[in-house]
Amino acid sequence: ARRQQRVGGSQRTVSARAALDSYFQLGRTQEPATGPVPRLEPSRIARDNREHSSDETIEVSDSDSSTSAEEEEAAEAAAPLVPPAQETPPAASSGEHGSHEEAEVQQKQVRTPLKQLELSVPVAPLDEEEGDTCAICFEQWTNAGDHRLSALRCGHLFGYTCIERWLKGQAGKCPQCNKKAKRSDIVILYARTLKALDTSEQERMKSSLEKEQMLRRQAELESAQSRLQLQVLTDECSKLREQVQELKALVAQHNASASQQPGGSHTSLPSSQSQRKYHLEKVFVVSPTGNCRVMAYCDSLSCLVVSQPSPQSTFVPGCGVKMMSVANLKSSQYIPIHSKQIRGLAFGRRADGLLLSAALDNTLKLTSLATNTVVQTYNAGRPVWSCCWCLDDTNYVYAGLVNGSIMIYDLRDTNSHVQELVPQKSRCPMVSLSYLPRMASASLPYGGILAGTLEGACFWEQKAGNSYRPHHLPLEPGGCIDIQTEISTRHCLATYRPCKNNPSVRCVMMELNCSPLTEASEDVVCSSNPVQTFSAGPTCTLLTKNAIFQSPEEDGSVFVCAGDEASNSALLWDAGSGSLLQKLQADLPVLDICPLEVNQTHLLATLTEKMVKIYKWQ
């Protein structure tokens, strides 16, 4: 009876079994699931399947158990969702071992399509879901309609209707960052797709590259400065050795000559030469109210001009110059030139006596002393701090501006400048300009402009075709207030303000020289070597101008004269020995010093804010 019931149960499920056979026939063509398939006992399979929902319940019985009609109907009802296990057909010759093998085969056939169905479901990447879905409704936004792409001020993206409803119902905050927001902050974005390129690694590499480049530039700069300092110290050491050898030779020669004289008397300088010095000759009161600044001397006219404010400021405002005849030591008339303070005066080698003046009213002017009128005006666009003539070609003049640039003007072109020399480093005011002409000198045969700023100095070598090449001179950084030159000996005088390392005003005399850049190249490198240092008082509040010139004795020696604010005087040194020769007293700080010669008489003029003092060498 039990066998007949089993046969009847299997006959009722023939149609369902045919559908399952066709389904599993298709499933066998798919790739098998990776990994070993565990073999389970029939009783364990039935227990595990009972834990699932009633729609996916599959029971497999052994050879002794029977399938009830209710279980077969449940299996047929669940056939559209999950294929049920095939029942074992009755066989008289099959035993219990055969029933176990059939149950294992049926279990494998059931599990394989379930795994394949689970693997075949596509899963969207998390980045894509977050990149094109609204953070409120988790649905994709659109580029048109009510759910179009919108953003708040904080930058977060939402669908328009979602964020509008959110701001109405909530306390006016962003759903993602909780920053305050309102309906007027909603901005509609007109974009089809949004993609953010990750450049964090690129930015990090760029910042590290910039840091390395900065460190490399700093290292190169320090290396160049060290090499320059080594060169300067080496040259100074060689010069000191030469001076020591010369001094030893002079001492030996002096001892030998002294021992040869009878009575052992020592030689001495003639009394007339040892007692010669500068004596006060004349005092000119230029401006009782003060504000005098600079002065210049015209050799062809034997005339000294001094800048001063207008004596009749009510009728003729501005600034001009006052002429003084050095031949008869008499002052002449006042010539109005500029509307603001004059910062520079210069005469060239022209015989007509044209005066070049620079002022803070942005102009550079040429004044004829023959007619006492301004004959040419150039507008530089910026305040002009200094000026000078070209001593190789009298048609060119130079103007130093407040930003460190040098304007080159041609007197034959009355409109504007013909060239501008832009500073290479700092843009400090050009406090001094001097031109060195070409000459047969072993140290520096080239001509050019020596420009001095508050940060340092630069020699602009004049090349062929009116082109200029800059050479930065190794001066001390900062504190330079004036640079003057001595043309014949190729020396320059740099004046430094007091600092922490040097509490007094220092005037450093340097020798200008040049050396070839390479053995095969014609280009040279111009430099300066310190020769002598002169110290003055501890006070320096004004931009004064000093002087370096050949000795009135015409013996080849060089004198240095500088103003001392602490003692209101001008100090005169011998550049060869470094000894202080004379102290020229004044009532106010000395602002400018000008050596001059007239009728084979050597004079020295010192300028304060109110007066000029003329000293005569005798």
Side-chain angles (χ1 to χ4, degrees), residues 283-334:
V283 177
F284 294 97
V285 177
V286 181
S287 174
T289 59
N291 291 329
C292 296
R293 189 70 188 181
V294 291
M295 60 182 175
Y297 177 69
C298 180
D299 191 18
S300 60
L301 300 178
S302 299
C303 179
L304 183 69
V305 295
V306 181
S307 68
Q308 69 166 104
S310 175
Q312 303 292 334
S313 59
T314 305
F315 302 99
V316 185
C319 296
V321 295
K322 192 168 188 178
M323 300 173 57
M324 301 178 186
S325 175
V326 183
N328 54 12
L329 297 180
K330 291 183 179 181
S331 61
S332 182
Q333 63 181 359
Y334 166 80

Side-chain angles (χ1 to χ4, degrees), residues 8 70 119 124 162 239 256 297 331 350 532 545 617:
E70 290 80 7
L119 295 175
C162 294
K239 287 184 177 297
Y297 177 69
S331 61
R350 299 170 64 101
Q532 193 70 260
K545 293 184 177 297
W617 180 262

Side-chain angles (χ1 to χ4, degrees), residues 112-336:
T112 301
L114 286 174
K115 293 180 180 180
Q116 292 176 354
L117 287 175
E118 293 175 358
L119 295 175
S120 62
V121 176
V123 180
L126 183 59
D127 296 341
E128 296 181 3
E129 292 180 357
E130 294 180 353
D132 57 1
T133 58
C134 176
I136 299 176
C137 64
F138 298 102
E139 293 184 1
Q140 292 185 349
W141 50 59
T142 60
N143 58 1
D146 296 337
H147 201 257
R148 64 193 309 171
L149 180 60
S150 303
L152 294 177
R153 280 190 178 179
C154 57
H156 293 107
L157 306 177
F158 309 96
Y160 183 80
T161 54
C162 294
I163 189 59
E164 186 180 22
R165 287 196 301 266
W166 180 277
L167 295 179
K168 286 181 180 180
Q170 300 298 326
K173 293 183 179 180
C174 175
Q176 291 190 355
C177 63
N178 285 335
K179 286 188 178 180
K180 291 184 179 181
K182 52 187 177 179
R183 190 175 181 278
S184 60
D185 296 339
I186 303 175
V187 178
I188 298 176
L189 303 180
Y190 297 93
R192 294 182 179 274
T193 56
L194 293 177
K195 292 183 180 179
L197 183 63
D198 187 7
T199 59
S200 58
E201 185 69 18
Q202 181 181 358
E203 294 297 330
R204 187 180 65 82
M205 295 299 294
K206 186 185 295 184
S207 62
S208 61
L209 177 61
E210 292 177 354
K211 183 178 180 180
E212 291 296 331
Q213 289 178 349
M214 182 184 66
L215 294 176
R216 180 178 180 180
R217 287 194 297 268
Q218 185 177 1
E220 292 177 353
L221 180 60
E222 292 177 355
S223 177
Q225 292 177 350
S226 300
R227 290 197 300 268
L228 188 59
Q229 291 177 359
L230 177 62
Q231 181 67 26
V232 171
L233 293 176
T234 303
D235 296 342
E236 186 177 357
C237 182
S238 62
K239 287 184 177 297
L240 291 176
R241 289 176 180 174
E242 294 177 359
Q243 291 179 4
V244 169
Q245 295 296 331
E246 292 176 358
L247 291 175
K248 287 182 179 179
L250 290 176
V251 169
Q253 183 180 0
H254 177 73
N255 293 335
S257 61
S259 61
Q260 293 176 0
Q261 292 182 358
S265 60
H266 298 283
T267 61
S268 59
L269 294 174
S271 59
S272 60
Q273 182 178 356
S274 61
Q275 295 179 0
R276 291 170 67 92
K277 61 181 181 179
Y278 282 110
H279 296 271
L280 182 62
E281 186 75 11
K282 185 72 173 180
V283 177
F284 294 97
V285 177
V286 181
S287 174
T289 59
N291 291 329
C292 296
R293 189 70 188 181
V294 291
M295 60 182 175
Y297 177 69
C298 180
D299 191 18
S300 60
L301 300 178
S302 299
C303 179
L304 183 69
V305 295
V306 181
S307 68
Q308 69 166 104
S310 175
Q312 303 292 334
S313 59
T314 305
F315 302 99
V316 185
C319 296
V321 295
K322 192 168 188 178
M323 300 173 57
M324 301 178 186
S325 175
V326 183
N328 54 12
L329 297 180
K330 291 183 179 181
S331 61
S332 182
Q333 63 181 359
Y334 166 80
I335 304 175

Side-chain angles (χ1 to χ4, degrees), residues 522-554:
E522 296 181 359
D523 295 331
V524 296
V525 177
C526 299
S527 181
S528 59
N529 299 319
V531 177
Q532 193 70 260
T533 301
F534 312 96
S535 299
T539 306
C540 182
T541 59
L542 302 172
L543 295 178
T544 60
K545 293 184 177 297
N546 302 321
I548 176 173
F549 53 97
Q550 291 190 4
S551 170
E553 295 295 332
E554 298 180 355

Side-chain angles (χ1 to χ4, degrees), residues 481-518:
I481 62 173
D482 180 58
I483 296 180
Q484 300 296 327
T485 58
E486 211 292 313
I487 296 176
S488 58
T489 60
R490 297 305 206 193
H491 286 87
C492 66
L493 182 68
T495 305
Y496 296 95
R497 283 177 172 174
C499 59
K500 293 182 179 179
N501 299 329
N502 298 285
S504 61
V505 178
R506 291 174 301 115
C507 298
V508 181
M509 187 179 74
M510 296 176 291
E511 180 183 9
L512 300 175
N513 54 26
C514 63
S515 59
L517 186 61
T518 58

